[in-house]
Amino acid sequence: MKTVTIENVVKRFKLEVLIGHNQLDRILKKTKVRRPGLEFMDKFDFIATEHVQILGKNEINYLHTLSDEECKLRIANIVQYDPPCIIITSNQEEPLGLRQYCTEEHIPVLRTPDSTSEMSAKLDAYVTKAMAPEIAVHGVCVNVAGIGILLRGKSGVGKSETAHTLIGRGHRLIADDIVVLKKLSPQTLLGTHNEKNKEFLALRSIGLLNVVRLYGRAAFQEESRIALDIELTEWQENALNNELELDTKYKTYMDVQIPHIQIQLQPGRDVAGLIEAAANNWYLQQQGYSAVEEFMKRLEPEFEE
């Protein structure tokens, strides 16, 4: 999990620092920003602390309706919860008392031209991803028709070559060799690169390729939710079967279960095409469609005779 500081946030979103230039090393501990409501009124022990506080137009306009002393009191109510920083949106003027209390408590005050909803959404998404638990796995991550796929297998089995074929068919590379997996929720796993291998694909006998330079921006994607775990294995005689539909198997990463498929390799076998079929079939299943169920319905009249 990456440590996120106020300085990271300032640089990421190009925020103006009004107060606390020397306190930008403060660390964010919570992923969700808050808009003060009850905090304005009085101290409540059950209110979550250590969240970034955002002051939008409604909050600033409310503070401007108060007397000087009341405004200072409301500001003090926010500061006592020790937020890592306070962000003023829509380039509004700071309310009376904010500079005094935040300077005394060493709390940075930042400002952005973005609206409250825009800033909240962007900051929540950024901090959630940055602070998510993560692991690095050996494999290749690709996005096939909008579906994130983690390709695994022994070294030299053909993962990168398969990814290259998929890129040639209009799909996108996310990471080669080392894939960073981030757990965003109990059901959501995000695949991305580790910055060093961004846009690079290593092919035996060819060398290192920059897919963006070779094939354009459409050949690369920063990240994707992982929907399928596909393992490429060597061909084994008599290991395949012709069942209409196999029971779904899963691979678990950080307690997140991902549907798992094994594809055996053999000269002449269209592995990239099989991966496309697996991705499209997974999508149809999410829509509630099952080819096996439809096939069995077509056979029902014969069984009834």
Side-chain angles (χ1 to χ4, degrees):
M1 182 173 66
K2 177 183 176 182
T3 297
V4 182
T5 66
I6 302 303
E7 186 175 10
N8 296 143
V9 173
V10 169
K11 291 181 177 179
R12 174 80 176 191
F13 301 107
K14 297 180 174 58
L15 303 181
E16 178 186 1
V17 181
L18 300 178
I19 303 168
H21 290 80
N22 297 327
Q23 280 80 48
L24 299 183
D25 59 348
R26 300 193 78 186
I27 297 175
L28 272 66
K29 299 179 181 179
K30 301 292 179 66
T31 58
K32 297 295 183 181
V33 303
R34 289 181 60 87
R35 297 180 65 177
L38 292 175
E39 294 93 329
F40 271 152
M41 307 310 298
D42 205 343
K43 180 177 179 179
F44 292 84
D45 293 335
F46 57 83
I47 291 179
T49 61
E50 299 181 334
H51 287 265
V52 172
Q53 296 284 342
I54 286 190
L55 300 182
K57 289 184 177 180
N58 291 340
E59 290 78 19
I60 297 294
N61 289 337
Y62 167 72
L63 291 173
H64 286 325
T65 65
L66 305 176
S67 66
D68 291 352
E69 290 304 315
E70 287 179 324
C71 183
K72 291 179 180 180
L73 178 62
R74 303 303 181 232
I75 295 298
N77 282 343
I78 301 176
V79 172
Q80 69 183 344
Y81 292 105
D82 192 31
C85 70
I86 294 175
I87 300 177
I88 298 175
T89 62
S90 303
N91 273 341
Q92 299 175 96
E93 293 297 324
E94 60 188 85
L96 185 68
L98 187 65
R99 182 173 293 271
Q100 173 189 342
Y101 285 112
C102 289
T103 299
E104 292 174 356
E105 298 300 326
H106 309 292
I107 297 173
V109 177
L110 317 173
R111 183 161 61 189
T112 175
D114 290 341
S115 68
T116 302
S117 58
E118 290 173 337
M119 189 69 240
S120 298
K122 291 194 296 188
L123 186 55
D124 279 347
Y126 167 69
V127 176
T128 297
K129 290 179 183 178
M131 296 179 63
E134 65 179 48
I135 59 173
V137 299
H138 174 64
V140 177
C141 188
V142 290
N143 184 283
V144 177
I147 297 167
I149 296 177
L150 178 63
L151 296 178
R152 295 184 301 106
K154 295 180 180 179
S155 295
V157 76
K159 300 182 296 295
S160 298
E161 288 83 355
T162 301
H164 183 260
T165 302
L166 288 167
I167 291 172
R169 296 185 180 187
H171 307 296
R172 297 179 174 183
L173 173 71
I174 294 169
D176 180 42
D177 191 39
I178 298 176
V179 180
V180 177
L181 299 179
K182 292 177 173 285
K183 181 182 179 181
L184 300 188
S185 77
Q187 299 82 32
T188 306
L189 202 65
L190 191 74
T192 186
H193 52 78
N194 66 355
E195 292 294 340
K196 295 179 181 179
N197 64 348
K198 178 179 178 179
E199 301 176 357
F200 288 122
L201 181 67
L203 298 178
R204 279 180 168 78
S205 302
I206 302 298
L208 197 62
L209 306 180
N210 185 310
V211 298
V212 172
R213 294 293 183 92
L214 281 176
Y215 306 115
R217 292 302 314 173
F220 175 76
Q221 186 169 313
E222 288 282 346
E223 59 193 25
S224 181
R225 177 181 177 179
I226 302 299
L228 285 174
D229 176 89
I230 297 181
E231 182 181 8
L232 304 182
T233 64
E234 296 178 357
W235 183 270
Q236 298 179 17
E237 293 293 340
N238 302 320
L240 298 178
N241 53 55
N242 293 318
E243 293 181 12
L244 292 179
E245 189 170 79
L246 298 171
D247 292 335
T248 302
K249 296 180 180 179
Y250 294 92
K251 179 71 175 177
T252 302
Y253 301 94
M254 294 180 289
D255 297 324
V256 180
Q257 287 192 325
I258 305 297
H260 168 78
I261 296 173
Q262 186 181 91
I263 295 180
Q264 294 190 17
L265 306 179
Q266 190 180 48
R269 200 171 195 215
D270 184 8
V271 178
L274 292 174
I275 292 173
E276 288 177 322
N280 291 328
N281 193 50
W282 176 88
Y283 176 79
L284 288 176
Q285 289 172 348
Q286 304 312 300
Q287 308 305 308
Y289 173 78
S290 170
V292 172
E293 290 181 4
E294 182 178 359
F295 179 68
M296 295 305 295
K297 287 180 180 179
R298 293 182 184 183
L299 294 180
E300 284 179 2
E302 296 184 13
F303 294 145
E304 293 174 355
E305 292 180 356

